[in-house]
Amino acid sequence: MSLVFAGVVSHAPGITGRAQRAEPAARDRFYAALDRLRLEMEETRPDALIVVGAEHFANFFMNNMPSLCIGMSDHYEGPIEDEQWLAIKRRRIPGNAALSRVLIERVMQSCDVAYAEEWKFDHGIMVPLHFLTPRYDLPVIPVNINCQGPPLIPLHRAWAFGKALRDACDAIPERIALVGTGGISHWPATPDSGKINVEWDQQFLQRFLANDRTALLGYTDAQTHREAGQGGFEIRTFLSVAAATEGQTGQLYCYEPIPIFAVGCTVARMTVA
Amino acid sequence: MSLVFAGVVSHAPGITGRAQRAEPAARDRFYAALDRLRLEMEETRPDALIVVGAEHFANFFMNNMPSLCIGMSDHYEGPIEDEQWLAIKRRRIPGNAALSRVLIERVMQSCDVAYAEEWKFDHGIMVPLHFLTPRYDLPVIPVNINCQGPPLIPLHRAWAFGKALRDACDAIPERIALVGTGGISHWPATPDSGKINVEWDQQFLQRFLANDRTALLGYTDAQTHREAGQGGFEIRTFLSVAAATEGQTGQLYCYEPIPIFAVGCTVARMTVA
Amino acid sequence: MSAWRLTSIASPRSARLKAPVMSLYQVQKLIYELNRSPEHRQRFVADRAAVLATYELTAEELQAIEQPDIGLMYVMGVNGQLLMHYAALRGFEWDAYIKAMRDGLAQHGAVRTGLYVAAGSLS
Amino acid sequence: MSAWRLTSIASPRSARLKAPVMSLYQVQKLIYELNRSPEHRQRFVADRAAVLATYELTAEELQAIEQPDIGLMYVMGVNGQLLMHYAALRGFEWDAYIKAMRDGLAQHGAVRTGLYVAAGSLS
Ligand SMILES: [Fe+3]
Ligand SMILES: [Fe+3]
């Protein structure tokens, strides 16, 4: 058992960049839940944190869009966005190339990941790190599932990838924390920014927390796009965490729809067997 | 049955770039075999040609090195190398983005491919095209298996990829030709350039032509590296063609060790069921 | 870049053999490269025409980028995760950026291609 | 870039927590970018120092690139599929390029890292 912690959090850039414009009480409940997740993660004494994100054309463009990518560097950089816009200062983030390599080789037994020896994090990873490793003292292993530019991998491959990550973690002595970040329903960077399908989110979260594999794999992209926006494609990151903790359930620490953050702000922890 | 043709050819840059320095009789036998393969491919009236190559840091670098990538553009460009050095003039090569997309979506059911909406071909694709589509009138769908910069996918995933390609071809009405290009034993771009392990090549070719899955998947990278050079990692492209024609055997049209071409120059055709 | 489809329509062979060349890819590539590189942004600010000349763009695209007409770029199908940063680079505050997209829809009609063809319909 | 290993050695946890930062990646990136872009090559020819200043390189790497010492670059572990084109760019004909690598091995010793550590041993 070397996966020691698993959770999911939202990552929308408004969470830090437009913090002052949110309803204070809802925002502070969300921030408090993030802090709780951080403390609980620290209690598990991880050696490294795998962040499964869904980045937004910061590193990966349609000239070579990987379905799955894992970072393999001793240091990363971020945010790539304007520091004022995101309200996070640019900095170097520690990685662990050797540990990445061991994980990548193991994951490659079943999933065809790209690897990246440099990576400029966007808000998709920086916002979670801002709350979960505020001192930037934990080596991060960035992982990406393409959820932006179709064609996208089917959900069952996101599941297979989560299983492969778990298998890789369990094969090494290091203590690994895993955090997925994405979704849930949202229409980011469109005129519908701020729209949130609360009912859809609640049903999805129920299925996710129950780790209901059949229900989770039952979503189709057409339906998700219609009901949960193009931002809903990012449920792939949640599915990978569910797969990595298959058979276990989770606990919801926060779900707060905050329109100016453009997403139902979510914090949850999954039990690790 | 919409895969209508399958074969393998060598692609070393010396084949065109250092043509004048080769032993003329061996070279001309090789060129004649390439021409035979072209004629036979043309007889199958393909609508598009999938080239499974192993490119050499022309498009894909360690900042985002895909294990598997498929092009998705209506046109490509090549060669990226100096035109005099490769003795192939730079030009636009026709593609078919819509056809690529259908194939990619199908392949993604089991393999996690990257997609690329632009691609500058290097010798790994240009040398085969120079002989197989000399009028550049056949849409090309470039495919890459990373065989250069480790970590590399295991051979059984290259096999799974070949099966996925076959499955995708069989699901569409278009007539598809498939050509793999790589290996076999060679030490390209090293002081050992020109070394060829003929015995190793002959055994490999025997197994490939017999489509002996067990034997082909029995190679290990450590052993290949030791006996067949780092260029031997490119057998992944041969394996994908064998997988795409599983159950069928092949015929060798040429095997000529030509040291100034830095490879045992190979042309073979596989039967398509 | 081919138009977004949730599932590929099994189009007849003939239709697939003459897909149009789209330059939307080039618009998006420009923004991607601006986002990644401070040097590229500096060159763009200093001599926009010179930078734009290195991309294959239609007259409409060129004008929308130059002006900038964020609303038209949205309608053209530029991915919002790219467009958002171009709007910020050109000085649009958040609300002005959202408004520009809404104005674009009113002025230029529905989104032509990409992920957002159907967006807005649930508002 | 971590050193090439055919299979990962199950190194102890402590060893993996302080892997060295290697700048070989930067040398290779330079050549990759030169290979891809005629404009980059022009800038490199016109003002080599300015281009090199944009990469994080050690003094030894800088000198090997400047000179150029193709043999030393080979010994440093630069992938041959990249180095081959850098040699051509700097005017090395095929035989001179192969000879430079051989001379490098004689002068600087075995390849230090990467794919070619074991190469040459079968010659
Ligand atoms: Fe996102
Ligand atoms: Fe090759």
Side-chain angles (χ1 to χ4, degrees), chain A residues 47 72 74-75 92 96 98-99 101-102 105 117-118 172-174, chain D residues 1-5 7-8 13 16-17 19-21 25 29 56:
Chain A
D47 294 313
M72 193 171 78
D74 284 323
H75 48 84
R92 182 171 271 210
N96 185 328
L99 181 55
R101 174 143 185 175
V102 174
E105 286 174 351
E117 294 192 34
E118 60 179 309
I172 58 173
E174 283 86 352
Chain D
M1 178 168 146
S2 58
W4 160 250
R5 299 188 305 273
T7 49
S8 286
R13 208 177 109 181
R16 282 214 285 269
L17 294 178
V21 177
Y25 178 84
K29 189 175 175 184
E56 288 176 56

PDB file of all heavy atoms in Angstrom, chain A residues 47 72 74-75 92 96 98-99 101-102 105 117-118 172-174, chain D residues 1-5 7-8 13 16-17 19-21 25 29 56:
ATOM      1  N   ASP A  47       5.397  11.284   0.166  1.00  0.00           N
ATOM      2  CA  ASP A  47       6.696  11.647  -0.414  1.00  0.00           C
ATOM      3  C   ASP A  47       6.526  12.452  -1.696  1.00  0.00           C
ATOM      4  O   ASP A  47       7.444  13.160  -2.115  1.00  0.00           O
ATOM      5  CB  ASP A  47       7.497  10.385  -0.739  1.00  0.00           C
ATOM      6  CG  ASP A  47       7.874   9.625   0.516  1.00  0.00           C
ATOM      7  OD1 ASP A  47       8.364  10.251   1.474  1.00  0.00           O
ATOM      8  OD2 ASP A  47       7.658   8.398   0.537  1.00  0.00           O
ATOM      9  N   MET A  72       8.070  14.338 -16.100  1.00  0.00           N
ATOM     10  CA  MET A  72       9.261  13.587 -15.701  1.00  0.00           C
ATOM     11  C   MET A  72      10.433  14.555 -15.536  1.00  0.00           C
ATOM     12  O   MET A  72      11.429  14.489 -16.243  1.00  0.00           O
ATOM     13  CB  MET A  72       9.569  12.504 -16.744  1.00  0.00           C
ATOM     14  CG  MET A  72      10.592  11.472 -16.289  1.00  0.00           C
ATOM     15  SD  MET A  72      10.740  10.067 -17.430  1.00  0.00           S
ATOM     16  CE  MET A  72      11.732  10.782 -18.747  1.00  0.00           C
ATOM     17  N   ASP A  74      12.671  17.229 -12.543  1.00  0.00           N
ATOM     18  CA  ASP A  74      12.960  17.534 -11.139  1.00  0.00           C
ATOM     19  C   ASP A  74      12.397  18.884 -10.720  1.00  0.00           C
ATOM     20  O   ASP A  74      12.465  19.234  -9.540  1.00  0.00           O
ATOM     21  CB  ASP A  74      14.470  17.484 -10.890  1.00  0.00           C
ATOM     22  CG  ASP A  74      14.971  16.052 -10.828  1.00  0.00           C
ATOM     23  OD1 ASP A  74      14.249  15.197 -10.285  1.00  0.00           O
ATOM     24  OD2 ASP A  74      16.072  15.786 -11.337  1.00  0.00           O
ATOM     25  N   HIS A  75      11.904  19.638 -11.687  1.00  0.00           N
ATOM     26  CA  HIS A  75      11.270  20.910 -11.329  1.00  0.00           C
ATOM     27  C   HIS A  75      10.374  21.363 -12.464  1.00  0.00           C
ATOM     28  O   HIS A  75      10.631  21.094 -13.638  1.00  0.00           O
ATOM     29  CB  HIS A  75      12.309  21.986 -11.017  1.00  0.00           C
ATOM     30  CG  HIS A  75      13.385  22.082 -12.042  1.00  0.00           C
ATOM     31  ND1 HIS A  75      13.235  22.803 -13.190  1.00  0.00           N
ATOM     32  CD2 HIS A  75      14.604  21.502 -12.113  1.00  0.00           C
ATOM     33  CE1 HIS A  75      14.333  22.684 -13.921  1.00  0.00           C
ATOM     34  NE2 HIS A  75      15.178  21.894 -13.305  1.00  0.00           N
ATOM     35  N   ARG A  92       9.078  28.206  -9.141  1.00  0.00           N
ATOM     36  CA  ARG A  92       9.519  26.857  -9.476  1.00  0.00           C
ATOM     37  C   ARG A  92       8.844  25.892  -8.508  1.00  0.00           C
ATOM     38  O   ARG A  92       8.739  26.179  -7.314  1.00  0.00           O
ATOM     39  CB  ARG A  92      11.044  26.798  -9.360  1.00  0.00           C
ATOM     40  CG  ARG A  92      11.642  25.472  -9.712  1.00  0.00           C
ATOM     41  CD  ARG A  92      13.173  25.549  -9.778  1.00  0.00           C
ATOM     42  NE  ARG A  92      13.626  25.922 -11.117  1.00  0.00           N
ATOM     43  CZ  ARG A  92      14.782  25.530 -11.649  1.00  0.00           C
ATOM     44  NH1 ARG A  92      15.624  24.777 -10.966  1.00  0.00           N
ATOM     45  NH2 ARG A  92      15.129  25.902 -12.863  1.00  0.00           N
ATOM     46  N   ASN A  96      10.176  15.205  -9.248  1.00  0.00           N
ATOM     47  CA  ASN A  96      11.090  14.094  -8.966  1.00  0.00           C
ATOM     48  C   ASN A  96      11.152  13.223 -10.216  1.00  0.00           C
ATOM     49  O   ASN A  96      10.327  12.319 -10.406  1.00  0.00           O
ATOM     50  CB  ASN A  96      10.615  13.302  -7.741  1.00  0.00           C
ATOM     51  CG  ASN A  96      11.612  12.227  -7.343  1.00  0.00           C
ATOM     52  OD1 ASN A  96      12.311  11.661  -8.191  1.00  0.00           O
ATOM     53  ND2 ASN A  96      11.688  11.938  -6.058  1.00  0.00           N
ATOM     54  N   ALA A  98      13.193  10.912 -11.284  1.00  0.00           N
ATOM     55  CA  ALA A  98      13.466   9.473 -11.144  1.00  0.00           C
ATOM     56  C   ALA A  98      12.205   8.733 -10.708  1.00  0.00           C
ATOM     57  O   ALA A  98      11.895   7.646 -11.214  1.00  0.00           O
ATOM     58  CB  ALA A  98      14.606   9.256 -10.150  1.00  0.00           C
ATOM     59  N   LEU A  99      11.484   9.315  -9.779  1.00  0.00           N
ATOM     60  CA  LEU A  99      10.237   8.707  -9.328  1.00  0.00           C
ATOM     61  C   LEU A  99       9.212   8.691 -10.468  1.00  0.00           C
ATOM     62  O   LEU A  99       8.521   7.684 -10.705  1.00  0.00           O
ATOM     63  CB  LEU A  99       9.707   9.493  -8.123  1.00  0.00           C
ATOM     64  CG  LEU A  99       8.427   9.005  -7.472  1.00  0.00           C
ATOM     65  CD1 LEU A  99       8.536   7.537  -7.059  1.00  0.00           C
ATOM     66  CD2 LEU A  99       8.109   9.877  -6.251  1.00  0.00           C
ATOM     67  N   ARG A 101       9.838   8.527 -13.556  1.00  0.00           N
ATOM     68  CA  ARG A 101      10.223   7.518 -14.545  1.00  0.00           C
ATOM     69  C   ARG A 101       9.771   6.121 -14.150  1.00  0.00           C
ATOM     70  O   ARG A 101       9.290   5.347 -14.982  1.00  0.00           O
ATOM     71  CB  ARG A 101      11.736   7.553 -14.742  1.00  0.00           C
ATOM     72  CG  ARG A 101      12.179   6.446 -15.641  1.00  0.00           C
ATOM     73  CD  ARG A 101      13.272   6.805 -16.546  1.00  0.00           C
ATOM     74  NE  ARG A 101      13.504   5.678 -17.426  1.00  0.00           N
ATOM     75  CZ  ARG A 101      14.337   5.678 -18.422  1.00  0.00           C
ATOM     76  NH1 ARG A 101      15.018   6.758 -18.676  1.00  0.00           N
ATOM     77  NH2 ARG A 101      14.475   4.617 -19.174  1.00  0.00           N
ATOM     78  N   VAL A 102       9.918   5.797 -12.891  1.00  0.00           N
ATOM     79  CA  VAL A 102       9.486   4.482 -12.405  1.00  0.00           C
ATOM     80  C   VAL A 102       7.977   4.326 -12.593  1.00  0.00           C
ATOM     81  O   VAL A 102       7.497   3.281 -13.054  1.00  0.00           O
ATOM     82  CB  VAL A 102       9.873   4.307 -10.925  1.00  0.00           C
ATOM     83  CG1 VAL A 102       9.297   3.016 -10.369  1.00  0.00           C
ATOM     84  CG2 VAL A 102      11.379   4.321 -10.773  1.00  0.00           C
ATOM     85  N   GLU A 105       7.097   3.989 -16.434  1.00  0.00           N
ATOM     86  CA  GLU A 105       7.394   2.673 -17.006  1.00  0.00           C
ATOM     87  C   GLU A 105       6.345   1.651 -16.589  1.00  0.00           C
ATOM     88  O   GLU A 105       5.968   0.778 -17.376  1.00  0.00           O
ATOM     89  CB  GLU A 105       8.796   2.212 -16.586  1.00  0.00           C
ATOM     90  CG  GLU A 105       9.878   2.984 -17.337  1.00  0.00           C
ATOM     91  CD  GLU A 105      11.287   2.668 -16.858  1.00  0.00           C
ATOM     92  OE1 GLU A 105      11.430   1.972 -15.826  1.00  0.00           O
ATOM     93  OE2 GLU A 105      12.237   3.126 -17.512  1.00  0.00           O
ATOM     94  N   GLU A 117       9.480  16.253 -20.037  1.00  0.00           N
ATOM     95  CA  GLU A 117      10.603  16.617 -19.177  1.00  0.00           C
ATOM     96  C   GLU A 117      10.613  18.108 -18.845  1.00  0.00           C
ATOM     97  O   GLU A 117      11.537  18.593 -18.196  1.00  0.00           O
ATOM     98  CB  GLU A 117      11.926  16.163 -19.800  1.00  0.00           C
ATOM     99  CG  GLU A 117      12.013  14.647 -19.868  1.00  0.00           C
ATOM    100  CD  GLU A 117      13.401  14.139 -20.213  1.00  0.00           C
ATOM    101  OE1 GLU A 117      14.398  14.759 -19.802  1.00  0.00           O
ATOM    102  OE2 GLU A 117      13.486  13.110 -20.918  1.00  0.00           O
ATOM    103  N   GLU A 118       9.620  18.836 -19.344  1.00  0.00           N
ATOM    104  CA  GLU A 118       9.362  20.175 -18.817  1.00  0.00           C
ATOM    105  C   GLU A 118       7.864  20.411 -18.895  1.00  0.00           C
ATOM    106  O   GLU A 118       7.156  19.735 -19.652  1.00  0.00           O
ATOM    107  CB  GLU A 118      10.140  21.263 -19.564  1.00  0.00           C
ATOM    108  CG  GLU A 118       9.845  21.368 -21.036  1.00  0.00           C
ATOM    109  CD  GLU A 118      10.641  22.502 -21.690  1.00  0.00           C
ATOM    110  OE1 GLU A 118      10.616  23.638 -21.194  1.00  0.00           O
ATOM    111  OE2 GLU A 118      11.286  22.229 -22.714  1.00  0.00           O
ATOM    112  N   ILE A 172       5.805   0.668  -5.637  1.00  0.00           N
ATOM    113  CA  ILE A 172       6.993   1.400  -5.180  1.00  0.00           C
ATOM    114  C   ILE A 172       6.902   1.642  -3.676  1.00  0.00           C
ATOM    115  O   ILE A 172       5.810   1.649  -3.101  1.00  0.00           O
ATOM    116  CB  ILE A 172       7.137   2.756  -5.918  1.00  0.00           C
ATOM    117  CG1 ILE A 172       5.894   3.632  -5.699  1.00  0.00           C
ATOM    118  CG2 ILE A 172       7.400   2.538  -7.394  1.00  0.00           C
ATOM    119  CD1 ILE A 172       6.029   5.034  -6.241  1.00  0.00           C
ATOM    120  N   PRO A 173       8.046   1.843  -3.051  1.00  0.00           N
ATOM    121  CA  PRO A 173       8.023   2.057  -1.605  1.00  0.00           C
ATOM    122  C   PRO A 173       7.562   3.456  -1.184  1.00  0.00           C
ATOM    123  O   PRO A 173       7.119   3.632  -0.050  1.00  0.00           O
ATOM    124  CB  PRO A 173       9.482   1.819  -1.197  1.00  0.00           C
ATOM    125  CG  PRO A 173      10.282   2.078  -2.420  1.00  0.00           C
ATOM    126  CD  PRO A 173       9.415   1.698  -3.578  1.00  0.00           C
ATOM    127  N   GLU A 174       7.664   4.426  -2.078  1.00  0.00           N
ATOM    128  CA  GLU A 174       7.295   5.791  -1.708  1.00  0.00           C
ATOM    129  C   GLU A 174       5.814   5.895  -1.336  1.00  0.00           C
ATOM    130  O   GLU A 174       4.976   5.166  -1.848  1.00  0.00           O
ATOM    131  CB  GLU A 174       7.580   6.771  -2.865  1.00  0.00           C
ATOM    132  CG  GLU A 174       9.025   7.142  -3.033  1.00  0.00           C
ATOM    133  CD  GLU A 174       9.803   6.148  -3.886  1.00  0.00           C
ATOM    134  OE1 GLU A 174       9.255   5.072  -4.241  1.00  0.00           O
ATOM    135  OE2 GLU A 174      10.973   6.429  -4.193  1.00  0.00           O
TER     136      GLU A 174
ATOM    137  N   MET D   1      17.265  15.467 -17.982  1.00  0.00           N
ATOM    138  CA  MET D   1      16.885  14.145 -18.473  1.00  0.00           C
ATOM    139  C   MET D   1      17.628  13.096 -17.668  1.00  0.00           C
ATOM    140  O   MET D   1      18.831  13.132 -17.493  1.00  0.00           O
ATOM    141  CB  MET D   1      17.270  14.042 -19.941  1.00  0.00           C
ATOM    142  CG  MET D   1      16.960  12.693 -20.549  1.00  0.00           C
ATOM    143  SD  MET D   1      17.123  12.798 -22.341  1.00  0.00           S
ATOM    144  CE  MET D   1      17.722  11.145 -22.663  1.00  0.00           C
ATOM    145  N   SER D   2      16.873  12.164 -17.177  1.00  0.00           N
ATOM    146  CA  SER D   2      17.497  11.119 -16.376  1.00  0.00           C
ATOM    147  C   SER D   2      18.282  10.194 -17.292  1.00  0.00           C
ATOM    148  O   SER D   2      17.993  10.060 -18.469  1.00  0.00           O
ATOM    149  CB  SER D   2      16.439  10.341 -15.607  1.00  0.00           C
ATOM    150  OG  SER D   2      15.511   9.774 -16.499  1.00  0.00           O
ATOM    151  N   ALA D   3      19.282   9.552 -16.741  1.00  0.00           N
ATOM    152  CA  ALA D   3      20.134   8.686 -17.536  1.00  0.00           C
ATOM    153  C   ALA D   3      19.321   7.508 -18.071  1.00  0.00           C
ATOM    154  O   ALA D   3      18.380   7.040 -17.436  1.00  0.00           O
ATOM    155  CB  ALA D   3      21.286   8.170 -16.676  1.00  0.00           C
ATOM    156  N   TRP D   4      19.675   7.056 -19.228  1.00  0.00           N
ATOM    157  CA  TRP D   4      19.029   5.921 -19.859  1.00  0.00           C
ATOM    158  C   TRP D   4      19.273   4.671 -19.035  1.00  0.00           C
ATOM    159  O   TRP D   4      20.394   4.336 -18.688  1.00  0.00           O
ATOM    160  CB  TRP D   4      19.591   5.761 -21.263  1.00  0.00           C
ATOM    161  CG  TRP D   4      19.382   4.394 -21.838  1.00  0.00           C
ATOM    162  CD1 TRP D   4      20.327   3.434 -22.072  1.00  0.00           C
ATOM    163  CD2 TRP D   4      18.137   3.835 -22.259  1.00  0.00           C
ATOM    164  NE1 TRP D   4      19.746   2.333 -22.607  1.00  0.00           N
ATOM    165  CE2 TRP D   4      18.405   2.540 -22.738  1.00  0.00           C
ATOM    166  CE3 TRP D   4      16.829   4.308 -22.273  1.00  0.00           C
ATOM    167  CZ2 TRP D   4      17.401   1.698 -23.231  1.00  0.00           C
ATOM    168  CZ3 TRP D   4      15.836   3.471 -22.759  1.00  0.00           C
ATOM    169  CH2 TRP D   4      16.121   2.195 -23.230  1.00  0.00           C
ATOM    170  N   ARG D   5      18.211   4.008 -18.708  1.00  0.00           N
ATOM    171  CA  ARG D   5      18.324   2.668 -18.152  1.00  0.00           C
ATOM    172  C   ARG D   5      17.341   1.805 -18.899  1.00  0.00           C
ATOM    173  O   ARG D   5      16.229   2.218 -19.196  1.00  0.00           O
ATOM    174  CB  ARG D   5      17.953   2.638 -16.662  1.00  0.00           C
ATOM    175  CG  ARG D   5      18.821   3.502 -15.782  1.00  0.00           C
ATOM    176  CD  ARG D   5      18.479   3.239 -14.331  1.00  0.00           C
ATOM    177  NE  ARG D   5      17.078   3.434 -14.057  1.00  0.00           N
ATOM    178  CZ  ARG D   5      16.534   4.597 -13.728  1.00  0.00           C
ATOM    179  NH1 ARG D   5      17.282   5.672 -13.627  1.00  0.00           N
ATOM    180  NH2 ARG D   5      15.244   4.697 -13.506  1.00  0.00           N
ATOM    181  N   THR D   7      15.908  -0.992 -17.852  1.00  0.00           N
ATOM    182  CA  THR D   7      14.801  -1.176 -16.933  1.00  0.00           C
ATOM    183  C   THR D   7      15.171  -0.412 -15.683  1.00  0.00           C
ATOM    184  O   THR D   7      16.332  -0.323 -15.310  1.00  0.00           O
ATOM    185  CB  THR D   7      14.589  -2.650 -16.570  1.00  0.00           C
ATOM    186  OG1 THR D   7      15.850  -3.199 -16.203  1.00  0.00           O
ATOM    187  CG2 THR D   7      14.015  -3.437 -17.721  1.00  0.00           C
ATOM    188  N   SER D   8      14.177   0.152 -15.062  1.00  0.00           N
ATOM    189  CA  SER D   8      14.458   0.950 -13.877  1.00  0.00           C
ATOM    190  C   SER D   8      14.976   0.053 -12.770  1.00  0.00           C
ATOM    191  O   SER D   8      14.400  -0.975 -12.461  1.00  0.00           O
ATOM    192  CB  SER D   8      13.193   1.639 -13.405  1.00  0.00           C
ATOM    193  OG  SER D   8      12.917   2.686 -14.270  1.00  0.00           O
ATOM    194  N   ARG D  13      14.309   4.674  -1.913  1.00  0.00           N
ATOM    195  CA  ARG D  13      13.543   5.889  -1.888  1.00  0.00           C
ATOM    196  C   ARG D  13      14.432   7.121  -1.763  1.00  0.00           C
ATOM    197  O   ARG D  13      14.252   8.115  -2.451  1.00  0.00           O
ATOM    198  CB  ARG D  13      12.638   5.796  -0.662  1.00  0.00           C
ATOM    199  CG  ARG D  13      11.378   6.518  -0.738  1.00  0.00           C
ATOM    200  CD  ARG D  13      10.627   6.210   0.544  1.00  0.00           C
ATOM    201  NE  ARG D  13      10.597   7.387   1.377  1.00  0.00           N
ATOM    202  CZ  ARG D  13      10.026   7.430   2.584  1.00  0.00           C
ATOM    203  NH1 ARG D  13       9.496   6.340   3.109  1.00  0.00           N
ATOM    204  NH2 ARG D  13       9.993   8.535   3.259  1.00  0.00           N
ATOM    205  N   ARG D  16      16.011   8.375  -4.975  1.00  0.00           N
ATOM    206  CA  ARG D  16      15.115   9.021  -5.925  1.00  0.00           C
ATOM    207  C   ARG D  16      14.727  10.421  -5.485  1.00  0.00           C
ATOM    208  O   ARG D  16      14.184  11.181  -6.260  1.00  0.00           O
ATOM    209  CB  ARG D  16      13.842   8.175  -6.087  1.00  0.00           C
ATOM    210  CG  ARG D  16      14.075   6.974  -6.975  1.00  0.00           C
ATOM    211  CD  ARG D  16      12.850   6.635  -7.775  1.00  0.00           C
ATOM    212  NE  ARG D  16      11.811   5.998  -7.024  1.00  0.00           N
ATOM    213  CZ  ARG D  16      11.688   4.680  -6.883  1.00  0.00           C
ATOM    214  NH1 ARG D  16      12.591   3.872  -7.398  1.00  0.00           N
ATOM    215  NH2 ARG D  16      10.682   4.171  -6.214  1.00  0.00           N
ATOM    216  N   LEU D  17      14.991  10.752  -4.246  1.00  0.00           N
ATOM    217  CA  LEU D  17      14.549  12.050  -3.763  1.00  0.00           C
ATOM    218  C   LEU D  17      15.565  13.151  -4.009  1.00  0.00           C
ATOM    219  O   LEU D  17      15.345  14.288  -3.672  1.00  0.00           O
ATOM    220  CB  LEU D  17      14.161  11.964  -2.281  1.00  0.00           C
ATOM    221  CG  LEU D  17      12.923  11.088  -2.025  1.00  0.00           C
ATOM    222  CD1 LEU D  17      12.609  10.999  -0.551  1.00  0.00           C
ATOM    223  CD2 LEU D  17      11.702  11.619  -2.791  1.00  0.00           C
ATOM    224  N   ALA D  19      17.580  13.382  -7.292  1.00  0.00           N
ATOM    225  CA  ALA D  19      18.160  13.204  -8.622  1.00  0.00           C
ATOM    226  C   ALA D  19      18.770  14.529  -9.079  1.00  0.00           C
ATOM    227  O   ALA D  19      18.236  15.590  -8.806  1.00  0.00           O
ATOM    228  CB  ALA D  19      17.085  12.759  -9.601  1.00  0.00           C
ATOM    229  N   PRO D  20      19.923  14.479  -9.759  1.00  0.00           N
ATOM    230  CA  PRO D  20      20.575  15.721 -10.178  1.00  0.00           C
ATOM    231  C   PRO D  20      19.828  16.405 -11.322  1.00  0.00           C
ATOM    232  O   PRO D  20      19.198  15.760 -12.135  1.00  0.00           O
ATOM    233  CB  PRO D  20      21.938  15.245 -10.663  1.00  0.00           C
ATOM    234  CG  PRO D  20      21.708  13.853 -11.114  1.00  0.00           C
ATOM    235  CD  PRO D  20      20.640  13.293 -10.223  1.00  0.00           C
ATOM    236  N   VAL D  21      19.872  17.725 -11.340  1.00  0.00           N
ATOM    237  CA  VAL D  21      19.324  18.490 -12.464  1.00  0.00           C
ATOM    238  C   VAL D  21      20.322  18.410 -13.614  1.00  0.00           C
ATOM    239  O   VAL D  21      21.487  18.746 -13.447  1.00  0.00           O
ATOM    240  CB  VAL D  21      19.103  19.959 -12.061  1.00  0.00           C
ATOM    241  CG1 VAL D  21      18.611  20.767 -13.264  1.00  0.00           C
ATOM    242  CG2 VAL D  21      18.116  20.056 -10.916  1.00  0.00           C
ATOM    243  N   TYR D  25      19.382  18.059 -21.315  1.00  0.00           N
ATOM    244  CA  TYR D  25      18.070  18.324 -21.921  1.00  0.00           C
ATOM    245  C   TYR D  25      18.086  19.631 -22.697  1.00  0.00           C
ATOM    246  O   TYR D  25      17.532  19.722 -23.790  1.00  0.00           O
ATOM    247  CB  TYR D  25      17.005  18.361 -20.820  1.00  0.00           C
ATOM    248  CG  TYR D  25      15.614  18.681 -21.304  1.00  0.00           C
ATOM    249  CD1 TYR D  25      14.788  17.682 -21.803  1.00  0.00           C
ATOM    250  CD2 TYR D  25      15.126  19.983 -21.282  1.00  0.00           C
ATOM    251  CE1 TYR D  25      13.514  17.967 -22.253  1.00  0.00           C
ATOM    252  CE2 TYR D  25      13.847  20.279 -21.735  1.00  0.00           C
ATOM    253  CZ  TYR D  25      13.052  19.268 -22.222  1.00  0.00           C
ATOM    254  OH  TYR D  25      11.795  19.559 -22.677  1.00  0.00           O
ATOM    255  N   LYS D  29      17.465  20.339 -26.578  1.00  0.00           N
ATOM    256  CA  LYS D  29      16.364  21.235 -26.965  1.00  0.00           C
ATOM    257  C   LYS D  29      16.844  22.292 -27.958  1.00  0.00           C
ATOM    258  O   LYS D  29      16.155  22.614 -28.921  1.00  0.00           O
ATOM    259  CB  LYS D  29      15.785  21.893 -25.715  1.00  0.00           C
ATOM    260  CG  LYS D  29      14.502  22.659 -25.989  1.00  0.00           C
ATOM    261  CD  LYS D  29      13.890  23.192 -24.708  1.00  0.00           C
ATOM    262  CE  LYS D  29      12.678  24.047 -25.023  1.00  0.00           C
ATOM    263  NZ  LYS D  29      12.106  24.664 -23.808  1.00  0.00           N
ATOM    264  N   GLU D  56      19.753  27.025 -20.553  1.00  0.00           N
ATOM    265  CA  GLU D  56      20.544  26.832 -19.331  1.00  0.00           C
ATOM    266  C   GLU D  56      21.622  25.797 -19.608  1.00  0.00           C
ATOM    267  O   GLU D  56      21.343  24.600 -19.630  1.00  0.00           O
ATOM    268  CB  GLU D  56      19.653  26.317 -18.191  1.00  0.00           C
ATOM    269  CG  GLU D  56      18.697  27.337 -17.608  1.00  0.00           C
ATOM    270  CD  GLU D  56      17.795  26.690 -16.567  1.00  0.00           C
ATOM    271  OE1 GLU D  56      18.323  26.088 -15.611  1.00  0.00           O
ATOM    272  OE2 GLU D  56      16.573  26.763 -16.732  1.00  0.00           O
TER     273      GLU D  56
END
